[in-house]
Amino acid sequence: MSAAADAAGVRLTGVKKWYGQVPAVRDVSLGIEPGEMVCLLGPSGCGKTTTLRMVAGLENPDAGEIRIGSTLVNGLAPWKRNLGMVFQNYALFPHMTVFENVAFGLNMRRLPAAEVRRQVDAAMAQVRLAAFGERRPSELSGGQRQRIALARAIVTKPSVLLLDEPLAALDKKLREQMQVEIKQLQRQVGVTTIFVTHDQEEALTLSDRIVVMDEGRIVQIGTPSEVYERPRSRFVSDFIGFTNSVSGRVNSIDGAFTRVTIASGQVVTVPSGAGIAAGDAVDLVIRPEKIVVDPTGLVDRSVIPGTLAHMVYTGAVTYYHVDIGGGAILIAMAPNPDLHDLPALGSPVALGFKPDNMLIFPRRAES
Amino acid sequence: MNPTQILTGERALKAYVLLILLFLALPILIVVPLAFSNDVSLTFPPHGFSLRWFGNILARREFGSAFLNSAMIACISTAIAMVIGILSAIAFVRFQFPGRETLLLLFMTPLIFPAIVFGAAVALMLSPLGLLRSVWGLTLAHTVLIFPYILRTSLATLFEIDKSLHEAAYTLGANRWQTFRYVILPLLRPGLLAGATFSLIISFDEFTVSMFLVGPGLMTLPLEMYNYSEFSLDPTIAAISTVLLVITSIAILIIEKLVGLGKQFS
Ligand SMILES: Nc1ncnc2c1ncn2[C@@H]1O[C@H](COP(=O)(O)OP(=O)(O)O)[C@@H](O)[C@H]1O
Ligand SMILES: [Mg+2]
């Protein structure tokens, strides 16, 4: 299939949506490039589905503009938008065969029968279910239904593909396999794709860019590594990946560097964060894999001493829970490259990290 | 309970069920052999074998015209009730509007309203309109009577159709009409066929309300049979009943094949 030729960009400007008194989407502005795969990520109820449904035309925004390509689509019926959408429950038509399901969009576009057959066969081959045309959806497994829903959505060569938690109903193994397939298919077809999930791993794996949402607003947009490595708020750092946090108070700020006294009394120097002044209560946040256990011989590392309180061995990696004093525990993750002696519980360990990897956020109100 | 107790319990249950079935089927078991009786009056057990009572149905013109009346009224009222029923069901499922619950209740009243009261009321209402003793008056009354059945089956089937199926059709380029035509209607069809079959039977079989609305020159089959049995109690009635029994059984079998009868009562 020829790629990106008809892929269209999508632009949302100041989009808002209420359900009665409930604000579902408060103010969303977002530009998506043609052929890009963007993921809306956020906790349940943050407005992802509503945003997606407004792009699809299944809901109308109360304020703001939505453009697909250069066309303003506010108020345009969904059937006039040339979209493909995969629903969480797949929404395959139960009274039609798999072939008829995939052919539905083409038939609505009144393509000649031979052309419909050719394109449906191609799409079904693309999702590796070429031999399943005569079956009913009820005779397929979850993963197969998912693939048929995908074939049905892409066969019409939509300008935008929308997926609402398409993998949520699958078990972990199948989900990981489908992630790869969806990504490959999206690359092949080159269709602009908006993808909704509350699974951060899925978002990191699949997206060109991640749009993190919270309570109807976008809180950060960036590539997976930007969002993971440089979360702009405590919410984002907590939502994506596992993080450690240590509370402290700002001692002094010296341009690009901030000195923070942490609970154990030690002073740690970290890059300055926006909106933080001397004397502020802050949280220092760092990912477990950015902490090195026993950093002897490594340069540019800040070191915090502690004692090993607990260990979680998971095969590929081990998590070291280290008590650094003052009631604070830091968790370090280290791969298990060789058979080696693990340190004994209660023994002293030094933790090393690059100051750059330590993020500073205002202390979060206790919840 | 020990095993013997359970066993006797099971036997008792079996006997009980058998008895009930027998009781329900008894009229049928009696009426069918009577239809083939050679007696001139309705007596059981029948003596001899003859098909002349079936011949008598054909010979007496009034049965033929009453049958046609009943069939026509059943078909037309079912067709009207279907159209109104489906549209109302869609409105009830799709929209929230003030008075929705009350309206639904109102539409369902013919199911529980005493037929005799309904019949009298309809007669009073149709009389000034000049629709008494008219096929159209009867058809109208039957439409109201069977409407709840159609509405109920349509509602039940519509509720089962996932909202995301409409939406999937929309995103695939189907407009409202195409979505209804190619997705919703095919999914409604089994439920509608079942509703339609029941309605046909109910209308065809209707007695109490029709009694108020018929008159000389306009008879339905149940009333014609009743009139006939007032004067002559010969097996002709049994013969007609047998014919109706066969027609009804075939209809029920068709529904069973299409949707499964149990589903319509659950
Ligand atoms: N049809 C609806 N009627 C009323 N409230 C709704 C409806 N759909 C969603 N909401 C509300 O809008 C908010 C956002 O919902 P949604 O977009 O589905 O979130 P997400 O997909 O991120 O879980 C939630 O508070 C939800 O309860
Ligand atoms: Mg959702």
Side-chain angles (χ1 to χ4, degrees):
Chain A
M1 240 178 242
S2 72
D6 2 321
V10 177
R11 181 161 298 280
L12 285 76
T13 316
V15 169
K16 295 175 187 168
K17 175 76 189 175
W18 284 269
Y19 288 112
Q21 298 297 310
V22 184
V25 173
R26 289 165 197 253
D27 186 2
V28 164
S29 296
L30 169 65
I32 298 164
E33 300 303 318
E36 194 181 17
M37 184 154 189
V38 162
C39 169
L40 306 182
L41 174 68
S44 182
C46 72
K48 309 177 297 286
T49 297
T50 308
T51 307
L52 197 74
R53 289 171 58 83
M54 286 191 286
V55 175
L58 299 171
E59 304 285 353
N60 267 318
D62 294 317
E65 277 187 10
I66 300 177
R67 284 176 191 277
I68 298 178
S70 54
T71 318
L72 182 69
V73 295
N74 289 47
L76 188 70
W79 51 89
K80 293 179 182 160
R81 295 190 182 199
N82 191 34
L83 300 164
M85 184 154 177
V86 175
F87 292 78
Q88 188 167 347
N89 63 358
Y90 315 139
L92 296 175
F93 304 128
H95 59 296
M96 297 181 193
T97 62
V98 164
F99 182 93
E100 289 166 339
N101 263 282
V102 179
F104 188 84
L106 298 172
N107 285 331
M108 291 304 112
R109 287 164 175 75
R110 308 205 180 288
L111 263 65
E115 187 59 23
V116 170
R117 174 153 286 282
R118 197 185 63 74
Q119 293 192 22
V120 171
D121 286 346
M124 289 186 31
Q126 223 162 11
V127 296
R128 298 187 292 109
L129 284 174
F132 288 72
E134 293 316 307
R135 297 221 194 164
R136 298 265 160 187
S138 57
E139 297 163 339
L140 300 180
S141 71
Q144 290 169 336
R145 284 179 207 183
Q146 163 69 63
R147 300 220 287 269
I148 290 303
L150 209 56
R152 185 178 69 172
I154 57 164
V155 73
T156 54
K157 300 195 175 60
S159 40
V160 182
L161 178 63
L162 306 170
L163 305 124
D164 190 358
E165 312 229 5
L167 304 177
L170 305 179
D171 62 47
K172 187 168 157 54
K173 211 164 182 144
L174 195 54
R175 195 158 64 222
E176 284 166 0
Q177 183 192 335
M178 283 307 301
Q179 285 174 5
V180 176
E181 286 192 23
I182 288 180
K183 184 76 196 174
Q184 285 174 343
L185 194 66
Q186 193 267 341
R187 284 259 161 79
Q188 250 175 51
V189 180
V191 60
T192 312
T193 303
I194 309 178
F195 187 96
V196 162
T197 185
H198 63 265
D199 178 347
Q200 44 104 8
E201 212 178 298
E202 204 164 287
L204 292 169
T205 319
L206 287 175
S207 329
D208 296 323
R209 278 191 305 155
I210 296 178
V211 176
V212 188
M213 294 182 67
D214 184 29
E215 296 186 339
R217 291 195 181 85
I218 294 177
V219 290
Q220 186 166 359
I221 304 179
T223 62
S225 68
E226 279 168 3
V227 171
Y228 183 81
E229 306 279 349
R230 292 277 161 243
R232 275 219 305 265
S233 65
R234 190 65 204 281
F235 172 82
V236 176
S237 82
D238 278 2
F239 194 76
I240 299 175
F242 182 80
T243 50
N244 283 299
S245 89
V246 178
S247 53
R249 193 165 290 277
V250 176
N251 196 324
S252 63
I253 299 179
D254 172 19
F257 292 96
T258 300
R259 289 158 60 78
V260 177
T261 310
I262 60 174
S264 63
Q266 197 180 356
V267 175
V268 180
T269 304
V270 300
S272 296
I276 289 168
D280 281 2
V282 291
D283 285 329
L284 298 181
V285 167
I286 189 164
R287 307 257 182 220
E289 74 276 12
K290 308 285 191 211
I291 305 180
V292 181
V293 179
D294 187 16
T296 21
L298 297 173
V299 291
D300 297 340
R301 296 293 202 285
S302 301
V303 175
I304 300 180
T307 52
L308 187 58
H310 185 57
M311 264 188 305
V312 181
Y313 175 81
T314 64
V317 298
T318 301
Y319 292 88
Y320 301 85
H321 295 232
V322 177
D323 185 343
I324 58 165
I329 301 267
L330 272 184
I331 300 172
M333 186 196 90
N336 299 325
D338 311 304
L339 276 175
H340 61 283
D341 293 329
L342 297 170
L345 289 183
S347 62
V349 286
L351 298 178
F353 60 92
K354 288 184 175 163
D356 263 359
N357 287 330
M358 189 68 96
L359 303 166
I360 183 168
F361 296 115
R363 171 84 52 87
R364 199 163 51 172
E366 288 302 321
S367 52
Chain B
M1 270 199 282
N2 65 38
T4 16
Q5 270 175 314
I6 294 175
L7 219 67
T8 38
E10 258 179 28
R11 275 207 199 116
L13 184 68
K14 268 185 193 156
Y16 174 73
V17 169
L18 208 68
L19 213 69
I20 298 266
L21 285 178
L22 200 68
F23 179 73
L24 289 174
L26 208 57
I28 297 172
L29 293 179
I30 290 177
V31 95
V32 175
L34 280 179
F36 298 94
S37 157
N38 202 16
D39 300 332
V40 281
S41 69
L42 276 173
T43 48
F44 195 83
H47 304 282
F49 176 87
S50 124
L51 288 175
R52 65 186 154 119
W53 307 117
F54 289 94
N56 193 33
I57 304 175
L58 297 175
R60 303 193 68 111
R61 282 286 163 75
E62 65 263 33
F63 284 128
S65 75
F67 179 91
L68 284 182
N69 276 341
S70 281
M72 190 181 92
I73 291 165
C75 289
I76 296 177
S77 56
T78 297
I80 298 173
M82 290 260 281
V83 174
I84 310 174
I86 298 170
L87 293 178
S88 322
I90 290 175
F92 278 119
V93 171
R94 280 269 292 276
F95 304 112
Q96 292 291 335
F97 47 88
R100 182 174 171 273
E101 301 298 319
T102 322
L103 197 62
L104 191 58
L105 215 62
L106 190 73
F107 281 173
M108 292 299 179
T109 40
L111 287 178
I112 44 162
F113 212 63
I116 195 96
V117 181
F118 182 74
V122 170
L124 285 175
M125 199 188 78
L126 291 183
S127 168
L129 297 173
L131 285 173
L132 217 50
R133 313 204 200 313
S134 128
V135 174
W136 297 112
L138 258 177
T139 306
L140 191 66
H142 281 210
T143 306
V144 175
L145 275 177
I146 62 182
F147 174 70
Y149 292 90
I150 302 275
L151 183 62
R152 208 158 62 160
T153 41
S154 306
L155 276 176
T157 329
L158 267 180
F159 268 123
E160 268 181 32
I161 300 177
D162 197 321
K163 181 179 147 219
S164 66
L165 292 180
H166 298 237
E167 297 182 342
Y170 291 162
T171 60
L172 287 167
N175 60 29
R176 275 183 223 290
W177 163 247
Q178 289 169 318
T179 300
F180 179 74
R181 168 75 186 74
Y182 298 111
V183 177
I184 306 309
L185 200 58
L187 290 172
L188 274 178
R189 193 173 293 146
L192 289 180
L193 275 172
T197 315
F198 277 120
S199 300
L200 287 172
I201 293 172
I202 288 164
S203 164
F204 199 85
D205 193 43
E206 213 293 320
F207 186 89
T208 319
V209 174
S210 307
M211 198 170 64
F212 287 91
L213 307 175
V214 295
L218 177 67
M219 274 294 153
T220 64
L221 191 60
L223 283 154
E224 196 63 67
M225 285 167 71
Y226 175 75
N227 287 344
Y228 183 85
S229 67
E230 273 195 318
F231 300 103
S232 44
L233 259 182
D234 65 30
T236 308
I237 298 300
I240 298 177
S241 303
T242 304
V243 171
L244 294 183
L245 206 63
V246 170
I247 295 176
T248 313
S249 303
I250 291 172
I252 299 280
L253 276 178
I254 291 173
I255 310 182
E256 175 58 33
K257 268 267 166 351
L258 287 173
V259 268
L261 205 56
K263 225 169 131 191
Q264 294 309 313
F265 290 108
S266 61

